[in-house]
Amino acid sequence: MAEARQTSRRQKRAALSSAAPLATEAPSLPPVIDDWFHRKGWQLRPHQVALLKAAEARQSTLLVAPTGAGKTLAGFLPSLISLSRPRFEKRGAGLRVLYISPLKALAADVARNLITPIDEMGLKIRTETRSGDTSAARRQRQRTHPPHILLTTPEQVALLLSHPDAGFLFADLETIILDELHALAASKRGDLLALDVARLRTLADGVMTIGLSATVARPSELRAYLVPQPQPDTHIYLAHLVTVSGGAPPDIRILEAETAVPWSGHTARYAMREIYDVIRSNKLAIVFVNTRMQAEYLFQELWRGNDDNLPIGLHHGSLDAKQRNKVEAAMADGSLRAVVATSTLDLGIDWGDVDIVINIGAPKGASRLLQRIGRSNHRLNEASRAVLVPGNRFEVLECRAALDAAEAGSQDAFLSRSGALDVLAQHILGMACAAPFSPDALFAEVRSALPYSDLTRLQFDRAVDFVATGGYALRAYDRFAKLKATDDGLLRVSNARVVQQYRLNVGTIVDTPLLKVRLISGKRTRAALQGGRPLGDIDEYFVEQLTPRATFVFAGEVLRFEGLRDTEVFVSRATASDPMIPSYGGGRFPMSTHLAARVRGMLADTSSWSALPEPVADWLRLQAHRSVIPEANEVLVETFPRNSRHYLVAYPFEGRLAHQTLGMLLTRRLDRAGAKPLGFVANDYALSIWGHGDMSDMIATGRLSLADLFEQDMLGDDLDAWLAESSLMKRTFRHAAVIAGLIERRHPGKEKSGRQVTMSTDLVYDVLRRHDPGHLLLEASWADAASGLLDIARLGEFLARIKGRISHQPLSRVSPLSVPVLLEIGKEQVYGQAHDALLRDAADALIREAMGDI
Amino acid sequence: MAGLKPERLGLDDFADQPISICGKAFRAHKSGALYWPAERALIVADLHFEKGSSFATRGQMLPPYDTRETLAKLARAIDTYDVETVIALGDSLHDVRAVERMNARDLEGLAILQEDRDWIWITGNHDTVLDKRLGGVVLNDVTVEGITFRHEPAVGAVTHEIAAHLHPAARLKMNGTVLRRPCFVGNGLRLVMPAFGSFTGGLNVLDEAFHPLFDSDGIAVWMLGQEGLYPVASRMLCGD
């Protein structure tokens, strides 16, 4: 959608200016800023000059730069110049610059880094942050007496815009700076932000946007995101582009351990000694993992062998803010040697002098790897250093592919997407809270935001209707409508409670319910479950698995589960050295298509195997001998018997999510074909289905056709039928229902309101599917499922790609390549299975007990 | 009986389960309804008609299809057995004004179900009065063949009672999976029925609200699945 369909006049102008030699004709800086540069011994860099010139022409600009290029200062420089000028005629509250970042921590970090130069320049510029943690009094004051520069998050902007005084607050706005735009744009938060920016443009005439982004594959989509799209049907307008090229190429290697890489798993336990040695020989290392569970596990293991007592910290999103702050401060002042972290540290927060990044497990995407590697070294001309530690043999291939991609400088494509309808519904309500609105005007404004440029009037009207009455085919709620028409054709909120509801439910981040973990003394009895130091938050589903006195690892400690009270989990310190380690739930990010293609290519190219560790190369040679190595453009399907069962293993390399969906669908088809499938398992690279039927024989005798089995039409009826019962789909629906405001968020302290009153969104989903299958929320969840949890879009591309390219190998025994996925059997729970089987087992257990096996 | 292994029963064998209360034989159905063959009576609890629209009056636009859904489920249960009498055990309406919001088609559907059979509405805390348009007979409680049907279970070790109100649900933990489903809960002398309405949640049977009803006798639990009703040992259950 967002590929530039036609260059516009504006873009031509942009192209011209970026081609001009910029560094030679630096614009003159105001004396205070010029002096400051002199005192620092700095000169304006070419990209800073380019940005200043664009700003002078009031051109919105995307600045693409690797870490360490001084993006943030470049982004603020035009605003500092503007704010240092004495002449300014105030029309509104005096807020001139709005900086929006995906993380409140990032906003706080930037504030720190911005206030120092402002003070050194002696400028009278007020800079403040605003987040959910900001005190109510301060937030109230910021609406009437805002600072010159406000640093905040998309959710806070949405909240500010929902107030009737938004027009006054933003009347003086000159510049909107969107940081880490690559991380934000292609998500529901990005949709919300795009809508908010569209409104800001309406409120502040001539406001300019500056987007800051890490290197991306196709900057044109981010450029289009930054400017209004007044004629989305015929033209896509682009912002000006400034690119900082260069930087030393990163220095990346794959860790070689004495112990051979294991067949499966993600823990990298085999390489603990070598990881520790890397930490010991560097000043400050960040050890990146993909999930919180991995972080806890690795942290525990590192300390187990920490003979030198190196200060090693732990940082992940579930930890208590106080604990996280402590680790961050320790990093900044150099008193740590290593931090084990999840993606909370991915984004551009500058935590100190990191000189090496250790990435555990597969990086899942070339851009993600580059982003993480960029955390080491913030100086542009020095190479960032990174060590990749694959967790298993397939991950060796993936690490190798990512490394090649990083060296070639190639990046994953930024996926263009249509704005989510649930987010649109939330925005419409927010706009109604601010002031009565004209549907025509709001529709035009919404369409000017890139993600919604292909929104139809029908979809918009349905979203408005959804906000007003729930949008049901059965017009039952017109008299309870939340939006009412005024005499002059505007829509207004029907009462104050609607506004209150909106403010409590704003935002697009829907978490599974979190419970607070508190540490108490183990000697206390169950009756005294109270008080205790907070350690952080933990997913409700995780707690559900715990039995009292069970030990687990959290916040870097071995803890014993003492009990649950309301929304708090009480734990005590356990002395057990061997805790019940929670099983690893798999990488949260599926491998990117770009990387998957590289892995397939590397597998097919036998000459590239010499770059792999010897055991891995041996493994592939054995596979070539026993079965075949699939060509890069085909999919290999193996069938073989094992332990009186028959297995079918396919290697699509499309990521766990797509494989799970594929597994579900293939199982249904195999069942119909009479292959009597019993179960399946999937990882990022392959999937395996097993059953009673001899699938080799069925294929040989023509009773089963692989071409039919992998026929694209499985995405039709089979998918519908399966989705209906899929718990993933229900979870997707819950998210959409919360974002759209159908279901209210659970707020701390409100959960106690009695379970028999609350009902699950599953019931709502089932009822809607039966009675209102065309409902807006079902459409929104379907769109999410296609790109998100179920990766249906990717599966569709896969099925199209392999049409006529299925290579079948009937084997007499297990193939080497299939071992990793077969080892996953029993490790993970398959979603969507009928719960009746479980209940029947429970009933059987009771019957057995009753009959007595004497 | 050495060597006798329980056979895994077919799905049909789980569609309903025998439950005996003070010697009277009932059949509990997977839908959450209870059938009394001797009286040819079907008992359902906590229908909560118009719960969706009740939320809508307060600005939360839940789907308006719950009444329709519940009626369809009720019709299927009535068709399963040869039912002469239906007893709705209270909270049939989510609030006293629910009938005003009911769709005409749903009211008609209810009237069709009531043709050729007796219909008893027991009052509940949500529906202290019932609109005449709902037809049937309205009672605070009713005793048939020594068994008393009422909305709120009487406190203490009462026997000969079938009640509702608490929306019992059970949480089963098995093979690393946790499953929470509505359930029948009883002790052979009294029974609490699951909520039948399509938008109703549940209260865990291990909650202290159930303690005064079954004291130390122990409880028997039948959990509702998609395809059947399953007796589950209480020691396999866990709290929320």
Side-chain angles (χ1 to χ4, degrees):
Chain A
M1 167 200 66
E3 276 290 37
R5 289 176 204 150
Q6 204 175 334
T7 42
S8 63
R9 197 165 51 87
R10 189 170 181 159
Q11 190 203 349
K12 276 179 197 145
R13 214 171 70 204
L16 270 178
S17 65
S18 54
L22 291 160
T24 49
E25 33 170 328
S28 60
L29 293 173
V32 275
I33 298 177
D34 199 38
D35 287 352
W36 181 76
F37 265 89
H38 270 294
R39 281 205 303 280
K40 290 268 175 188
W42 290 352
Q43 292 214 313
L44 278 181
R45 291 199 182 149
H47 68 271
Q48 290 169 333
V49 174
L51 208 57
L52 283 177
K53 287 172 69 73
E56 233 162 68
R58 303 295 301 155
Q59 277 188 323
S60 291
T61 306
L62 176 69
L63 174 63
V64 175
T67 348
K71 264 198 307 248
T72 314
L73 182 62
F76 278 100
L77 205 52
S79 299
L80 293 184
I81 292 174
S82 164
L83 284 163
S84 71
R85 291 192 185 115
R87 281 173 291 105
F88 177 70
E89 214 169 293
K90 223 163 114 167
R91 283 171 299 170
L95 175 63
R96 310 266 294 272
V97 181
L98 188 61
Y99 164 93
I100 306 169
S101 89
L103 295 178
K104 61 184 177 195
L106 188 53
D109 183 55
V110 166
R112 269 199 303 277
N113 292 337
L114 192 61
I115 286 169
T116 312
I118 288 174
D119 285 350
E120 287 173 356
M121 290 173 194
L123 293 171
K124 286 200 174 60
I125 299 174
R126 228 154 34 90
T127 303
E128 287 178 9
T129 58
R130 179 191 177 95
S131 71
D133 300 340
T134 309
S135 75
R138 192 183 174 92
R139 271 188 284 172
Q140 178 70 29
R141 197 260 299 146
Q142 281 175 340
R143 276 173 40 214
T144 46
H145 296 93
H148 298 106
I149 302 177
L150 183 67
L151 305 104
T152 188
T153 58
E155 290 72 25
Q156 289 297 321
V157 177
L159 273 175
L160 286 171
L161 284 171
S162 75
H163 285 278
D165 57 11
F168 175 74
L169 176 60
F170 292 110
D172 295 321
L173 195 65
E174 294 167 352
T175 309
I176 306 168
I177 301 173
L178 305 176
D179 202 356
E180 303 282 350
L181 189 58
H182 59 284
L184 206 46
S187 65
K188 287 194 177 186
R189 288 182 91 197
D191 295 343
L192 183 67
L193 179 60
L195 292 169
D196 289 338
V197 170
R199 170 47 56 107
L200 288 170
R201 283 197 199 98
T202 306
L203 298 180
D205 196 26
V207 70
M208 168 179 77
T209 53
I210 295 178
L212 310 178
S213 166
T215 322
V216 286
R218 285 186 295 168
S220 58
E221 291 179 49
L222 292 183
R223 292 167 71 189
Y225 184 95
L226 286 171
V227 291
Q229 303 296 337
Q231 301 153 273
D233 297 323
T234 52
H235 293 67
I236 290 295
Y237 290 86
L238 302 182
H240 184 61
L241 175 68
V242 174
T243 309
V244 182
S245 55
D251 165 17
I252 314 169
R253 64 184 175 92
I254 296 176
L255 186 75
E256 278 175 32
E258 231 171 81
T259 320
V261 187
W263 290 96
S264 73
H266 305 268
T267 57
R269 187 180 195 157
Y270 74 98
M272 219 46 77
R273 181 49 35 201
E274 285 82 2
I275 294 170
Y276 186 73
D277 288 343
V278 172
I279 293 172
R280 196 162 45 186
S281 56
N282 283 282
K283 283 208 299 287
L284 174 56
I286 298 186
V287 187
F288 275 120
V289 293
N290 285 330
T291 68
R292 197 197 69 208
M293 301 278 189
Q294 267 180 311
E296 292 282 1
Y297 176 78
L298 194 76
F299 179 73
Q300 202 68 19
E301 284 295 305
L302 283 174
W303 271 97
R304 198 195 287 266
N306 192 354
D307 301 333
D308 298 355
N309 257 319
L310 300 179
I312 299 175
L314 176 67
H315 192 287
H316 61 68
S318 311
L319 290 179
D320 195 60
K322 262 198 208 120
Q323 297 226 349
R324 261 181 296 163
N325 293 344
K326 238 164 65 185
V327 173
E328 287 160 12
M331 273 178 87
D333 71 21
S335 57
L336 277 186
R337 292 289 297 278
V339 177
V340 180
T342 57
S343 49
T344 44
L345 281 186
D346 270 8
L347 296 168
I349 302 171
D350 191 357
W351 296 125
D353 251 338
V354 179
D355 54 355
I356 193 152
V357 163
I358 305 171
N359 194 82
I360 307 291
K364 300 298 164 203
S367 303
R368 166 170 289 271
L369 179 65
L370 283 177
Q371 177 81 8
R372 286 186 161 181
I373 290 172
R375 304 318 318 143
S376 85
N377 168 35
H378 277 247
R379 279 161 299 274
L380 188 56
N381 298 319
E382 283 172 27
S384 313
R385 293 166 59 234
V387 176
L388 310 184
V389 187
N392 58 50
R393 292 177 178 211
F394 268 120
E395 288 190 351
V396 172
L397 300 179
E398 199 181 324
C399 284
R400 187 72 237 171
L403 195 154
D404 292 347
E407 278 170 0
S410 69
Q411 302 255 349
D412 308 317
F414 175 88
L415 291 173
S416 52
R417 64 196 301 280
S418 297
L421 294 174
D422 47 352
V423 177
L424 176 64
Q426 186 185 99
H427 179 71
I428 289 171
L429 184 57
M431 294 304 95
C433 291
F437 70 88
S438 138
D440 292 345
L442 186 59
F443 176 61
E445 183 184 294
V446 163
R447 283 239 301 170
S448 77
L450 180 75
Y452 294 92
S453 57
D454 60 355
L455 185 78
T456 64
R457 182 61 196 244
L458 184 68
Q459 282 174 309
F460 177 79
D461 288 341
R462 281 176 61 213
V464 171
D465 185 34
F466 169 81
V467 172
T469 67
Y472 299 106
L474 180 70
R475 309 291 319 170
Y477 297 160
D478 289 350
R479 65 207 138 124
F480 314 125
K482 289 202 269 189
L483 301 181
K484 297 246 152 100
T486 63
D487 295 338
D488 42 2
L490 304 180
L491 289 175
R492 62 165 177 84
V493 290
S494 56
N495 59 57
R497 199 178 47 213
V498 175
V499 178
Q500 206 181 354
Q501 271 176 346
Y502 169 80
R503 298 218 168 107
L504 282 173
N505 290 289
V506 78
T508 61
I509 302 167
V510 182
D511 281 316
T512 52
L514 290 179
L515 305 173
K516 193 162 259 332
V517 180
R518 286 183 178 277
L519 183 67
I520 56 172
S521 153
K523 293 194 186 76
R524 289 199 213 176
T525 60
R526 202 182 147 83
L529 290 179
Q530 55 181 345
R533 182 162 66 86
L535 292 178
D537 298 318
I538 198 162
D539 293 318
E540 190 180 35
Y541 83 86
F542 179 76
V543 179
E544 285 178 349
Q545 314 289 328
L546 295 176
T547 49
R549 313 296 285 171
T551 55
F552 64 103
V553 178
F554 182 73
E557 298 188 61
V558 181
L559 302 171
R560 185 186 295 114
F561 178 53
E562 296 288 352
L564 182 69
R565 237 190 78 201
D566 301 338
T567 59
E568 299 193 324
V569 180
F570 291 87
V571 297
S572 63
R573 276 212 181 82
T575 43
S577 62
D578 207 14
M580 183 274 281
I581 305 284
S583 69
Y584 167 65
R588 211 172 275 178
F589 313 99
M591 179 166 55
S592 75
T593 13
H594 171 73
L595 214 50
R598 274 184 178 266
V599 170
R600 283 196 307 271
M602 198 165 59
L603 206 58
D605 176 12
T606 47
S607 67
S608 71
W609 295 359
S610 57
L612 300 170
E614 202 47 39
V616 177
D618 280 346
W619 169 55
L620 295 181
R621 276 182 218 114
L622 196 62
Q623 167 70 14
H625 177 67
R626 291 264 182 81
S627 175
V628 292
I629 296 289
E631 293 294 323
N633 59 1
E634 66 180 19
V635 65
L636 171 64
V637 176
E638 295 171 332
T639 49
F640 50 81
R642 183 172 169 259
N643 291 348
S644 77
R645 283 178 180 176
H646 295 271
Y647 287 77
L648 180 149
V649 182
Y651 304 89
F653 293 93
E654 294 293 346
R656 179 188 299 265
L657 297 175
H659 291 169
Q660 273 186 352
T661 308
L662 183 61
M664 291 288 180
L665 298 175
L666 289 180
T667 308
R668 288 178 75 93
R669 291 200 157 178
L670 284 169
D671 193 30
R672 278 208 299 273
K676 304 193 195 86
L678 294 167
F680 79 91
V681 68
N683 64 13
D684 257 347
Y685 317 97
L687 77 152
S688 170
I689 303 174
W690 60 93
H692 287 310
D694 182 345
M695 290 174 269
S696 297
D697 185 59
M698 290 177 72
I699 294 168
T701 56
R703 281 178 293 148
L704 180 67
S705 149
L706 283 179
D708 290 348
L709 194 62
F710 285 88
E711 179 56 48
Q712 267 174 285
D713 64 13
M714 75 162 75
L715 293 181
D717 297 349
D718 277 332
L719 186 64
D720 274 348
W722 171 59
L723 273 183
E725 293 307 320
S726 154
S727 59
L728 280 173
M729 191 65 190
K730 286 177 179 168
R731 201 192 318 164
T732 306
F733 177 79
R734 191 176 80 83
H735 280 217
V738 170
I739 291 172
L742 182 71
I743 300 291
E744 295 188 12
R745 272 167 204 272
R746 300 219 289 177
H747 288 282
K750 284 184 84 179
E751 289 94 340
K752 287 168 69 181
S753 54
R755 289 285 294 247
Q756 74 252 62
V757 194
T758 60
M759 80 184 110
S760 94
T761 44
D762 293 5
L763 298 174
V764 178
Y765 171 77
D766 287 340
V767 161
L768 268 187
R769 260 192 354 98
R770 271 194 289 275
H771 297 277
D772 215 333
H775 192 260
L776 183 90
L777 276 190
L778 291 179
E779 189 185 325
S781 352
W782 182 261
D784 284 354
S787 60
L789 283 171
L790 306 174
D791 241 349
I792 292 163
R794 188 157 167 193
L795 190 56
E797 283 164 27
F798 162 73
L799 293 174
R801 181 167 62 74
I802 58 138
K803 222 178 168 73
R805 297 177 191 279
I806 302 172
S807 155
H808 176 230
Q809 287 296 311
L811 304 172
S812 57
R813 58 168 160 153
V814 175
S815 79
L817 206 57
S818 69
V819 172
V821 69
L822 293 186
L823 286 174
E824 304 252 350
I825 294 174
K827 271 193 195 165
E828 77 171 279
Q829 184 202 333
V830 176
Y831 287 105
Q833 272 177 339
H835 284 140
D836 279 66
L838 190 76
L839 284 168
R840 217 167 300 138
D841 286 348
D844 280 353
L846 189 70
I847 294 168
R848 231 184 340 264
E849 194 175 300
M851 310 285 273
D853 253 26
I854 312 153
Chain B
M1 280 215 181
L4 181 72
K5 285 262 163 89
E7 298 283 318
R8 185 178 290 269
L9 304 166
L11 284 182
D12 288 343
D13 298 315
F14 281 104
D16 61 9
Q17 298 283 339
I19 290 185
S20 151
I21 297 137
C22 295
K24 312 276 186 216
F26 293 84
R27 292 203 77 80
H29 190 246
K30 62 180 182 178
S31 63
L34 184 72
Y35 181 58
W36 191 356
E39 301 296 322
R40 293 171 65 183
L42 188 79
I43 303 109
V44 288
D46 293 284
L47 301 173
H48 284 268
F49 285 153
E50 293 303 305
K51 182 167 175 179
S53 64
S54 168
F55 275 76
T57 59
R58 282 170 284 143
Q60 201 180 335
M61 304 295 174
L62 293 180
Y65 306 112
D66 54 318
T67 304
R68 186 161 301 181
E69 183 86 1
T70 305
L71 279 171
K73 199 165 77 156
L74 186 52
R76 282 195 298 275
I78 288 174
D79 282 351
T80 304
Y81 304 101
D82 188 10
V83 175
E84 275 184 357
T85 306
V86 171
I87 303 174
L89 275 189
D91 284 3
S92 304
L93 303 175
H94 190 67
D95 58 87
V96 288
R97 308 188 65 175
V99 179
E100 294 166 28
R101 300 192 305 270
M102 248 171 107
N103 188 273
R105 202 180 107 186
D106 295 339
L107 272 172
E108 257 169 53
L110 177 63
I112 292 169
L113 286 182
Q114 291 174 331
E115 276 173 25
D116 302 329
R117 59 178 59 92
D118 295 327
W119 198 284
I120 298 170
W121 300 108
I122 303 286
T123 54
N125 51 313
H126 280 252
D127 51 355
T128 44
V129 286
L130 279 103
D131 196 293
K132 280 209 173 66
R133 278 173 284 181
L134 288 174
V137 180
V138 180
L139 298 168
N140 289 330
D141 53 60
V142 63
T143 303
V144 183
E145 288 290 307
I147 302 286
T148 299
F149 297 87
R150 61 166 70 95
H151 180 61
E152 278 191 51
V155 176
V158 170
T159 62
H160 299 79
E161 181 201 75
I162 294 178
H165 182 61
L166 291 170
H167 299 208
R171 211 153 155 267
L172 170 70
K173 199 187 278 194
M174 205 177 163
N175 305 337
T177 306
V178 181
L179 189 59
R180 196 179 195 279
R181 301 288 303 168
C183 67
F184 290 88
V185 56
N187 62 356
L189 302 173
R190 71 191 307 185
L191 182 76
V192 182
M193 294 195 32
F196 195 85
S198 59
F199 274 1
T200 46
L203 179 69
N204 196 308
V205 289
L206 300 186
D207 190 276
E208 53 191 30
F210 288 93
H211 292 174
L213 307 186
F214 299 111
D215 55 30
S216 55
D217 292 355
I219 50 171
V221 163
W222 294 262
M223 291 173 76
L224 275 58
Q226 298 291 328
E227 295 156 346
L229 182 75
Y230 307 91
V232 173
S234 57
R235 64 180 160 73
M236 298 176 85
L237 304 179
C238 53
D240 288 317

